[in-house]
Amino acid sequence: MDPAEVEFLAEKEMVKIIPNFSLDKIYLIGGDLGPFNPGLPVEVPVWLALNLKQRQKCRIVPPEWMDTDKLEDIREQERKLDTFTPIPNPYYMELTKLLLNHAADNIPKADEIRTLVKDIWDTRMAKLRLSADSFISQQEAHAQLDNLTLMEINTTRSFLLDSLNYMYKLRSNLQPGRSKDY
Amino acid sequence: MPCERKPMRYGHSEGHTDVCFDDQGKCIVTCGSDGDVRIWESLDDDDPKSINVGEKVYSVALKNGKLVTAVSNNTVQIHTFPDGEPDGILTRFTTNANHVTFNNSGSRVAAGSSDFLVKMVEVADSSQQKTLRGHDAPVLSVALDPSDEFLASSSCDGSVAVWSIESQTQVAQWKVLQKSSDVTNAKSLCRLAWQPRSGKLIAVPVDLTIQLYERNTWTHVSTLSDDLITQVVNVVVWSPCGKFLAAGTVGGNLLIWDVEAKLCIDRQKHEKGFTVCGMAWHPSGGRIAYTDTEGCLGLLEGVSSSSSTVQSSKATAAKEANDYDDLFDEDDDRMLDEDMSDSRSPVKKPIMEDEDDDDDDDLMPATGRPRNRGSFLDDDDNSQDPSSVKLDGLPEEGGSSAVLPAVAPVVSRPVYDGPMPTQPQRAFQPGSTPAHLMHRFMMWNSVGIVRGYNDDQDNAIDVEFHDTAIHHAMHLTNTLGHTMADLSQEAVLLACEGTDELASKIQCLHFSCWDTHKDWMVDLPKGEDVRALCLGQGWAAVATSALMVRLFSIGGVQKEIFSLPGAVVCMAGHGEQLLIAYHRGTGFDGEQALGVQLLQLGRKKRQVIHGEPLPLSRKSYLAWMGFSAEGTPCCVDSEGVVRLLNRTLGNTWTPVCNTRETCKSKSDHYWVVGVHENPQQLRCIPCKGARFPPTLPRPAVAVLPFNMPYCQTTTEKGQMEEQYWRSMLFHNHYGFLSSSGYEIDSESQAQAEKEQQELLMKMFALSCKLEREFRCVELAELMTHSVVTLAIRYASRSRRMALAQRLSELALEKANQLQEEEQEDEEPAYQREYRESNQMNSRQAQQENGCEEEEVEEEEYPQEEQMDAEESTETRKKFLNPFKKGGKSPEKPSPKPVSREGRVNPFKVSGAGKSSGSPAGQPRTTNVLDSMTMSRKPAAFSGLSKQSKAPVLKPLAPKPKSKTQATLLQMSASKGNSKKLEDSQSEAEKVKPAPVAATPPVLKENTENKKPKTGFQLWLEENRKSILADNPDFEEMDVIKEGMGRFRTLSAEERLNWTEKAKGDSDPKKRKREDEDEEKAAEQMESDEASAKKKKPLDSSAKLSAFAFNKE
């Protein structure tokens, strides 16, 4: 899976916007959106929010979790625990990136949030690598990793699966050799 | 003249503190439990000099540049003043000293300690000490006689002792205090004080009073008390002149007496009621510094000025000369002289008029007359009555004191304790934050936001529109200092108050103007300031400090002006309406007395609300006022209660929401920015811990639902009642809008009515279930005609015949009413009763939407045939007469032509249900209920009008065709459309629904030959024989039942086939519904009770299955 595809999925997340135009309900295959009243918050998918934002048709209300205090708490929690902590949004990384890239002016303390999310991401990725490492080195048959987001799984999937395959191949080649030795 | 109490300021950390002035009175010196001595240049000194003298300081004394402190390391230290250099240790105790004090000259220091000792030390030579032993408990306080003869000390052992310094022996002792084990447990600090200069008196705080003892005789001479003192007196200090005595109490009261007059001349209360533990009188006498146990320092200013006049007029001479006889004689005399009751207090006069001839009498503290209740206001007679004068010789005092009457403690504090007038709230712009903020919202309304910035760099106004289609955002420099703003779709109105040089100005940015001059400005006359302003459609209004409202056109033409009965509070405009809130009078006890005016400024100008009182919650003020988006006036008070004007209830205000109920914490508020009636939305900004939002970060609008405070909204009944009345209230605006010539959204109106009628029907069903028949009728009175017929049906189905009967009468009445109305052809005015306009409107709606009401009627058909012919004809005739259309209704062969011809009376359904005595009564009940619920939806909003307009057609109207038919008939009643009718009629016949099957055989036969058979009927005919063969003893009904059962067992295709067969020639469009009907009917026949469940697959009924629960 491409990161772009994951991002595409993330764009289906709902986000609140404050439109500066007036429009009746719009009926889309994915569901009805609106009505849009100027000045009144309305929930729309991220893709629409970004589109409207780019056309300067709305302000985006940052999601509740996109707040320095909350993210700091999560970061601390993430650093404290060995396991993965539950994340407020399954697409936190993608949303942060999308919203901060396109609507940084609507998000207070955008830079801090960017840093915090990056920190969380790095911590989690480090944990992921660590656990992959111990998984392989201990030759476990299975492992359980909770609270991973799609993007995180996606970053490690191809590499981990390929390497496991190779290792399997190498091991299975080793096996007959050994038996011959004996 | 009362002295001025300065605000407290923080001096030390919490704990015991002490205070004194330096010799010149330039500085205040305080000490506290933080171990610091602070030297304050003044109370406002932000950076007092701080000297650390130890861990804790218990007491401080200052004289001749020497600062003596009693510190927690059991020493009494000297520091230089003002430098604060340590200057040696004066003396030591085995525990800490509690109080240190200088003598008059500053040569000696006396200190009392918790080790029961009192020591006297020469400041110059600390080796010269005198120790006074005799107390049996920690010494609380010491005081040195100004003439250096005596020393007084108080102790936790309950005694106050006077020592001769020379001989170091006690010369007097009074056991007047409460005993305690330690200083910390002592109720009072019991700071003693000698009268300065003469040292003639010594003041001892005893419980709630201060007792004065005379030098040399050591007798109790008088007691100072005041009824304000509710807690123990802690500290007493004499004024430098020796004429006044100030006391501080544990309860935080500060009192000042004129000692000779025994008159309390001033009473102050610590602003937080903390214990006063240190007091010092300024050397010049003008002020008193005091400290509390919370470490705060306070100051009373102007103390001597308040007392000097009293002082000057006093003749101190004859005080001991009077005896009781004189005393009472005088009192009597005065009583007669003054011939009045309330100025019995003799002191009053001398205070007011210095040279009063009563002076001599008044100045006798020893007379024991209740003189010391200094009151500048009227005293209460009872307390002043001479009979209340008590001679309370103090037992401790022995004979001498017994001779001297003490002051009666019954003194009422002279205060006005009636309702206090409220500060009238200031004028404000609804939707603005306070003007003193540097960054504020000057206006937030449904159009946009006006923000004002007034900081160092910038004085500017930002105008931003929610809908950028109106206008782009604007940035204006605010050179005039505008403080008020309003914003509409057309213009921005700004105004500033006038200054000395500049007049108050109004500036209007009329951005929608089509010429090139987009703004105009108007100066108000000198001395008149803008207080509130608002914009409407094409006009602007400004209320000024001259109690005037000035109207302008939006282009700047001055228009009407009129006066307001009171100072304006706020104004709001919407369309042609102007809403003004103003002060109607003075509010009391925290309430505001606001009045409200509502004016219509259009072509026909008029006042809608003539200054009626605006209801607010208790002790609240107006926080927001405006119009809903639909134009209904609305106000919000500081308690968060939102009220909406109810135009149909004589312009009353109905509470529709309490925003505080949704707040999470007590300090949270909602800042209302807009009200919408359709959809019902209260737009507001949640503010955490504040009443209004900050400009940054940009607050987000939240939407609150309305919730009227109806009773028992946890129950279904309460909920529905609330919903119903809320719906009624929030759809009032349709009536208003249509009456004032605006376009209205008739679709949503119809929707609303439908919702209301549905709610009524639900309530009806609920009451039915609860067997509240009277209530049912009450509810039915609120219903429209068509819904009443449904209700009748419901009632009859649930076997409430009495109810059905009453309902049918009601329905009749309603129908008659309608007819009359129609004939009168009245214009619906919004003031008229809402239901009526409902009905009118629903008629319009019906013309558009069509009506399927006939479905119901159609299904009722077979039953109606069973009706009592006589009765029904009669009623029918009544109905028939006014309607000529009746004649046009196509004649159809019918078993009872009369009923056919005329309108089949739907109200007779109940009778039918009763009289039918059908063996299949139960299933039929279900049927009709179902049919009702099925047709319920369209019927709810359709209707009544239809019935009234073309009631004759109703029973005959075929269900599927009803739409076209209804429309045709209503629109062209005069046209001969009987042809079409006949067509549809015949179709209707074919589509005869399944309930027919359930009717008794006689009836069935009647109908059979006229009506095409349904699939089931066809099938039944074919299979009747086999059923009969199987069960020869079956009655007709049983046969049908059995048939139903068998028919059900057929596969779907087979059934479909039968159905096809049955109406091979009927309109294909209708087929589906018919199928449904049939199937449904079949199902229902089969299952007696579970009708609700079975209905679910059917779309229409599912929606209305809400009623079904009542059935089961």
Side-chain angles (χ1 to χ4, degrees):
Chain A
M1 221 173 166
D2 213 326
E5 288 173 287
V6 183
E7 197 179 86
F8 177 78
L9 292 178
E11 286 184 352
K12 278 190 187 142
E13 283 291 297
M14 299 301 267
V15 68
K16 252 190 204 158
I17 61 161
I18 297 173
N20 58 17
F21 60 95
S22 177
L23 188 70
D24 245 353
K25 239 183 181 177
I26 50 175
Y27 303 96
L28 304 178
I29 298 175
D32 302 346
L33 298 177
F36 298 90
N37 291 308
L40 202 62
V42 61
E43 288 233 325
V44 295
V46 171
W47 58 265
L48 182 61
L50 295 179
N51 184 286
L52 290 172
K53 174 70 194 170
Q54 280 166 347
R55 290 192 284 152
Q56 300 195 328
K57 290 279 184 199
C58 75
R59 279 185 308 121
I60 293 179
V61 181
E64 215 166 286
W65 54 266
M66 206 178 273
D67 171 78
T68 48
D69 288 347
K70 282 183 183 142
L71 289 174
E72 257 164 40
D73 287 350
I74 293 169
R75 184 180 65 178
E76 292 319 304
Q77 194 73 8
E78 193 66 63
R79 283 179 176 166
K80 228 173 14 188
L81 296 179
D82 288 335
T83 54
F84 295 94
T85 54
I87 280 290
N89 190 296
Y91 300 104
Y92 74 101
M93 191 63 194
E94 301 89 307
L95 289 182
T96 312
K97 187 166 164 274
L98 285 170
L99 295 184
L100 289 182
N101 283 352
H102 295 103
D105 52 333
N106 294 151
I107 296 165
K109 300 186 187 167
D111 290 337
E112 268 178 65
I113 286 170
R114 203 192 292 272
T115 321
L116 282 167
V117 171
K118 186 81 172 99
D119 283 354
I120 295 169
W121 170 263
D122 288 345
T123 318
R124 290 170 71 90
M125 289 312 288
K127 277 186 197 173
L128 189 58
R129 279 191 221 105
L130 209 66
S131 63
D133 177 54
S134 64
F135 176 69
I136 289 166
S137 62
Q138 290 171 25
Q139 301 205 3
E140 295 287 346
H142 68 275
Q144 186 184 352
L145 292 177
D146 291 337
N147 299 325
L148 273 181
T149 66
L150 187 57
M151 191 63 124
E152 286 158 352
I153 297 168
N154 204 37
T155 51
T156 191
R157 181 193 286 119
S158 54
F159 172 72
L160 185 65
L161 293 185
D162 286 353
S163 45
L164 284 174
N165 271 338
Y166 271 109
M167 278 162 59
Y168 173 73
K169 265 186 212 163
L170 293 172
R171 284 206 183 108
S172 52
N173 287 342
L174 201 63
Q175 217 65 22
R178 257 188 207 164
S179 56
K180 271 175 197 170
D181 281 351
Y182 285 103
Chain B
M1 192 181 77
C3 57
E4 183 192 357
R5 188 186 50 150
K6 299 275 189 168
M8 299 294 286
R9 61 165 301 155
Y10 182 78
H12 294 271
S13 57
E14 280 176 32
H16 176 78
T17 51
D18 200 0
V19 63
C20 60
F21 280 97
D22 72 349
D23 298 337
Q24 290 78 41
K26 281 183 192 155
C27 307
I28 306 169
V29 180
T30 60
C31 70
S33 55
D34 52 4
D36 283 350
V37 171
R38 298 221 161 86
I39 302 163
W40 309 74
E41 301 286 340
S42 72
L43 190 66
D44 304 324
D45 188 356
D46 284 331
D47 186 24
K49 183 171 181 190
S50 197
I51 309 164
N52 189 281
V53 294
E55 247 175 67
K56 269 186 167 184
V57 191
Y58 293 98
S59 180
V60 65
L62 176 62
K63 210 137 221 177
N64 301 338
K66 303 231 181 260
L67 185 71
V68 177
T69 50
V71 197
S72 58
N73 59 4
N74 307 343
T75 59
V76 175
Q77 296 175 325
I78 306 180
H79 286 77
T80 58
F81 180 83
D83 302 325
E85 302 294 332
D87 198 14
I89 290 171
L90 206 55
T91 184
R92 288 175 198 274
F93 292 94
T94 48
T95 66
N96 59 283
N98 293 317
H99 193 204
V100 287
T101 180
F102 272 101
N103 68 350
N104 221 14
S105 61
S107 60
R108 278 180 187 163
V109 167
S113 151
S114 290
D115 60 6
F116 310 177
L117 299 182
V118 177
K119 284 189 183 177
M120 254 181 333
V121 192
E122 297 292 325
V123 177
D125 180 6
S126 59
S127 62
Q128 291 201 22
Q129 297 193 355
K130 286 180 178 169
T131 308
L132 307 173
R133 299 164 199 271
H135 281 300
D136 304 324
V139 179
L140 286 168
S141 116
V142 288
L144 276 166
D145 171 24
S147 48
D148 273 353
E149 252 181 275
F150 299 107
L151 180 147
S153 64
S154 61
S155 163
C156 291
D157 60 12
S159 65
V160 175
V162 181
W163 312 74
S164 160
I165 294 173
E166 214 42 47
S167 62
Q168 299 179 35
T169 51
Q170 279 190 14
V171 293
Q173 192 191 34
W174 307 294
K175 292 267 184 194
V176 288
L177 305 178
Q178 281 202 346
K179 287 188 183 180
S180 60
S181 59
D182 188 48
V183 181
T184 51
N185 298 330
K187 287 205 167 162
S188 160
L189 291 174
C190 198
R191 295 280 192 244
L192 309 168
W194 291 91
Q195 192 174 27
R197 296 181 193 165
S198 62
K200 207 158 81 179
L201 295 168
I202 178 165
V204 180
V206 177
D207 205 16
L208 303 183
T209 60
I210 296 157
Q211 298 192 349
L212 298 176
Y213 294 90
E214 201 182 19
R215 189 189 181 93
N216 296 328
T217 63
W218 309 118
T219 51
H220 174 245
V221 288
S222 64
T223 301
L224 302 177
S225 70
D226 191 87
D227 65 340
L228 191 71
I229 302 178
T230 52
Q231 294 198 56
V232 180
V233 178
N234 228 1
V235 196
V236 290
V237 280
W238 288 87
S239 70
C241 59
K243 285 162 186 163
F244 304 102
L245 187 68
T249 72
V250 171
N253 290 317
L254 298 159
L255 299 106
I256 302 168
W257 282 272
D258 181 323
V259 175
E260 286 171 34
K262 299 198 352 180
L263 172 69
C264 187
I265 55 169
D266 213 326
R267 302 172 177 87
Q268 293 287 336
K269 177 94 178 130
H270 184 290
E271 62 188 21
K272 289 192 181 113
F274 294 148
T275 301
V276 175
C277 59
M279 279 179 103
W281 208 301
H282 191 271
S284 69
R287 51 172 75 159
I288 297 173
Y290 60 98
T291 54
D292 63 28
T293 51
E294 298 295 315
C296 294
L297 170 67
L299 201 60
L300 297 178
E301 287 274 14
V303 177
S304 67
S305 63
S306 69
S307 35
S308 56
T309 51
V310 185
Q311 191 60 27
S312 65
S313 68
K314 307 278 171 183
T316 51
K319 96 172 129 190
E320 261 107 29
N322 282 318
D323 59 15
Y324 295 126
D325 300 333
D326 290 342
L327 181 77
F328 289 109
D329 286 347
E330 273 166 25
D331 268 347
D332 293 344
D333 293 344
R334 187 168 294 111
M335 220 181 341
L336 296 170
D337 290 345
E338 294 179 2
D339 187 25
M340 40 85 71
S341 51
D342 65 349
S343 71
R344 194 67 51 74
S345 165
V347 276
K348 225 179 323 185
K349 277 196 172 175
I351 290 159
M352 304 302 272
E353 315 148 34
D354 291 342
E355 299 308 316
D356 193 278
D357 56 358
D358 287 343
D359 272 1
D360 285 1
D361 311 316
D362 292 328
L363 296 174
M364 291 164 277
T367 58
R369 286 177 45 202
R371 291 214 168 147
N372 59 339
R373 54 204 62 167
S375 64
F376 299 88
L377 296 169
D378 285 357
D379 265 348
D380 154 3
D381 316 5
N382 303 335
S383 66
Q384 297 294 51
D385 195 289
S387 66
S388 71
V389 175
K390 286 189 237 156
L391 306 177
D392 59 341
L394 291 174
E396 316 94 338
E397 276 313 300
S400 58
S401 68
V403 187
L404 296 163
V407 177
V410 266
V411 184
S412 75
R413 185 167 148 75
V415 279
Y416 169 68
D417 55 354
M420 295 305 282
T422 321
Q423 187 81 20
Q425 78 173 104
R426 300 175 69 178
F428 68 99
Q429 287 295 104
S432 67
T433 53
H436 62 80
L437 300 174
M438 284 204 295
H439 294 204
R440 60 182 285 243
F441 290 112
M442 294 171 80
M443 175 58 64
W444 183 319
N445 61 19
S446 56
V447 178
I449 303 167
V450 183
R451 267 171 305 190
Y453 300 97
N454 183 14
D455 49 21
D456 302 337
Q457 312 111 26
D458 210 5
N459 192 352
I461 293 174
D462 265 348
V463 184
E464 194 183 305
F465 296 87
H466 293 315
D467 192 343
T468 43
I470 297 173
H471 197 263
H472 56 78
M474 288 185 275
H475 182 85
L476 318 162
T477 46
N478 189 7
T479 44
L480 292 168
H482 291 304
T483 53
M484 286 160 270
D486 196 8
L487 183 63
S488 78
Q489 310 263 2
E490 301 170 311
V492 185
L493 190 64
L494 300 164
C496 57
E497 294 194 359
T499 59
D500 291 341
E501 304 93 51
L502 291 169
S504 180
K505 281 189 174 60
I506 308 161
Q507 186 180 8
C508 179
L509 306 171
H510 183 207
F511 52 76
S512 69
C513 181
W514 44 262
D515 69 13
T516 48
H517 296 283
K518 301 274 187 206
D519 67 336
W520 51 269
M521 206 181 285
V522 166
D523 280 10
L524 289 190
K526 193 93 187 136
E528 195 174 333
D529 280 338
V530 179
R531 288 278 182 257
L533 48 83
C534 70
L535 280 169
Q537 199 171 16
W539 53 268
V542 174
T544 67
S545 55
L547 304 187
M548 220 190 289
V549 176
R550 298 171 175 274
L551 298 178
F552 297 86
S553 77
I554 198 70
V557 179
Q558 295 198 52
K559 291 166 80 177
E560 294 91 340
I561 58 174
F562 59 92
S563 283
L564 276 182
V568 71
V569 175
C570 66
M571 295 205 299
H574 180 277
E576 291 173 340
Q577 302 177 85
L578 169 62
L579 186 65
I580 310 168
Y582 59 90
H583 286 287
R584 191 168 45 87
T586 309
F588 285 92
D589 284 345
E591 318 214 346
Q592 301 285 341
L594 303 186
V596 66
Q597 289 192 358
L598 178 63
L599 290 100
Q600 192 82 30
L601 298 176
R603 249 166 288 138
K604 37 176 189 179
K605 295 184 175 63
R606 61 198 184 89
Q607 196 170 12
V608 182
I609 300 181
H610 313 267
E612 270 128 57
L614 180 70
L616 295 175
S617 304
R618 283 196 68 82
K619 296 193 193 298
S620 71
Y621 53 87
L622 188 63
W624 186 88
M625 192 177 74
F627 288 90
S628 71
E630 286 79 8
T632 309
C634 187
C635 70
V636 184
D637 64 31
S638 57
E639 292 295 304
V641 179
V642 184
R643 290 183 179 82
L644 198 71
L645 188 76
N646 190 348
R647 295 188 199 260
T648 56
L649 195 64
N651 287 335
T652 50
W653 296 84
T654 307
V656 289
C657 184
N658 188 346
T659 59
R660 296 303 300 277
E661 277 169 7
T662 34
C663 288
K664 284 189 196 94
S665 100
K666 222 179 172 185
S667 54
D668 291 356
H669 292 84
Y670 281 96
W671 194 65
V672 176
V673 294
V675 177
H676 287 241
E677 291 180 75
N678 186 31
Q680 293 177 19
Q681 287 179 336
L682 179 66
R683 298 186 181 178
C684 46
I685 295 169
C687 307
K688 261 205 178 127
R691 286 199 169 270
F692 48 83
T695 51
L696 280 173
R698 201 188 157 100
V701 178
V703 170
L704 286 184
F706 291 104
N707 191 1
M708 286 165 74
Y710 271 81
C711 302
Q712 291 182 311
T713 43
T714 46
T715 66
E716 214 170 358
K717 172 175 171 283
Q719 243 167 37
M720 288 194 288
E721 282 161 351
E722 192 267 340
Q723 277 175 27
Y724 174 72
W725 287 108
R726 181 151 47 85
S727 175
M728 290 296 271
L729 178 64
F730 277 89
H731 294 101
N732 277 341
H733 66 266
Y734 289 121
F736 165 71
L737 289 177
S738 61
S739 77
S740 42
Y742 289 103
E743 224 175 79
I744 55 166
D745 181 1
S746 53
E747 197 176 314
S748 60
Q749 188 184 10
Q751 194 81 29
E753 276 150 22
K754 181 189 141 196
E755 177 195 312
Q756 286 157 15
Q757 295 301 321
E758 237 163 59
L759 279 167
L760 278 177
M761 196 59 208
K762 275 189 200 169
M763 284 192 268
F764 179 87
L766 189 68
S767 311
C768 252
K769 189 180 154 200
L770 299 173
E771 313 208 328
R772 296 270 185 186
E773 302 201 351
F774 189 85
R775 197 182 285 167
C776 286
V777 176
E778 286 176 326
L779 286 168
E781 275 164 18
L782 299 171
M783 295 175 180
T784 58
H785 188 192
S786 64
V787 182
V788 173
T789 59
L790 283 178
I792 293 168
R793 206 151 298 135
Y794 186 91
S796 60
R797 289 304 164 241
S798 34
R799 298 178 173 270
R800 298 183 197 284
M801 295 316 156
L803 174 62
Q805 194 60 43
R806 282 185 187 280
L807 288 179
S808 63
E809 282 161 24
L810 184 71
L812 216 69
E813 237 171 71
K814 276 182 189 279
N816 288 335
Q817 241 175 20
L818 262 179
Q819 287 162 24
E820 278 162 33
E821 253 168 50
E822 234 161 63
Q823 281 160 352
E824 283 163 28
D825 195 26
E826 280 175 358
E827 238 180 69
Y830 77 87
Q831 290 94 342
R832 210 202 297 168
E833 204 202 344
Y834 186 55
R835 189 154 19 93
E836 290 169 13
S837 65
N838 263 358
Q839 291 163 355
M840 304 294 271
N841 292 326
S842 69
R843 189 171 312 128
Q844 296 162 2
Q846 204 177 358
Q847 281 172 348
E848 287 172 20
N849 300 343
C851 166
E852 291 172 87
E853 170 67 4
E854 279 71 15
E855 281 176 51
V856 182
E857 304 298 329
E858 174 65 15
E859 290 185 53
E860 288 314 306
Y861 179 66
Q863 291 170 334
E864 281 162 13
E865 288 175 335
Q866 292 182 323
M867 280 187 319
D868 177 8
E870 232 183 316
E871 196 186 331
S872 57
T873 9
E874 245 178 31
T875 39
R876 255 168 243 142
K877 270 178 189 162
K878 266 185 214 159
F879 273 99
L880 268 172
N881 291 338
F883 297 98
K884 296 283 187 285
K885 292 168 220 156
K888 284 196 182 103
S889 99
E891 298 284 326
K892 272 282 146 183
S894 150
K896 286 184 182 166
V898 192
S899 68
R900 271 293 158 121
E901 183 183 59
R903 172 175 184 259
V904 176
N905 189 343
F907 321 130
K908 290 301 165 199
V909 169
S910 55
K914 202 193 312 191
S915 61
S916 69
S918 151
Q922 185 54 39
R924 272 185 46 198
T925 307
T926 324
N927 270 352
V928 177
L929 179 64
D930 290 337
S931 65
M932 184 200 73
T933 50
M934 230 177 87
S935 57
R936 173 78 193 80
K937 192 179 157 196
F941 64 92
S942 64
L944 160 48
S945 44
K946 147 139 292 166
Q947 278 176 335
S948 56
K949 274 211 172 170
V952 201
L953 295 166
K954 201 158 235 173
L956 300 177
K959 160 171 52 179
K961 266 285 171 191
S962 59
K963 209 174 218 172
T964 31
Q965 187 186 17
T967 327
L968 281 172
L969 272 169
Q970 278 175 339
M971 296 197 303
S972 56
S974 55
K975 277 186 214 162
N977 54 354
S978 52
K979 213 180 190 178
K980 276 190 178 170
L981 274 176
E982 264 169 29
D983 284 351
S984 52
Q985 210 71 51
S986 61
E987 267 169 29
E989 301 289 285
K990 286 169 207 155
V991 179
K992 196 74 212 157
V996 174
T999 54
V1002 195
L1003 191 112
K1004 195 174 170 253
E1005 275 156 31
N1006 275 344
T1007 50
E1008 246 173 16
N1009 43 10
K1010 287 145 230 147
K1011 287 172 192 152
K1013 310 225 162 50
T1014 62
F1016 169 68
Q1017 283 170 304
L1018 286 174
W1019 177 86
L1020 188 65
E1021 266 171 42
E1022 295 222 346
N1023 293 280
R1024 182 187 297 269
K1025 272 176 197 154
S1026 68
I1027 292 169
L1028 281 173
D1030 292 351
N1031 306 286
D1033 52 344
F1034 262 14
E1035 295 279 300
E1036 180 63 26
M1037 272 320 292
D1038 298 322
V1039 172
I1040 292 165
K1041 268 189 191 169
E1042 175 70 14
M1044 273 301 191
R1046 293 194 186 190
F1047 188 71
R1048 285 291 299 149
T1049 58
L1050 295 179
S1051 71
E1053 293 92 87
E1054 276 176 297
R1055 264 182 281 169
L1056 199 67
N1057 279 342
W1058 282 107
T1059 325
E1060 294 285 333
K1061 225 186 261 181
K1063 39 181 172 169
D1065 55 346
S1066 69
D1067 187 3
K1069 266 193 247 168
K1070 312 286 179 254
R1071 201 160 286 162
K1072 200 173 175 193
R1073 171 169 282 171
E1074 287 154 14
D1075 285 356
E1076 277 173 5
D1077 283 346
E1078 255 173 20
E1079 272 183 48
K1080 194 177 139 214
E1083 280 167 46
Q1084 280 155 0
M1085 289 298 278
E1086 190 178 52
S1087 63
D1088 287 354
E1089 301 133 285
S1091 61
K1093 281 173 203 160
K1094 300 249 163 156
K1095 272 184 306 179
K1096 269 178 189 159
L1098 291 176
D1099 212 6
S1100 54
S1101 61
K1103 270 185 195 160
L1104 295 155
S1105 59
F1107 298 137
F1109 71 93
N1110 299 300
K1111 184 64 192 123
E1112 284 163 14

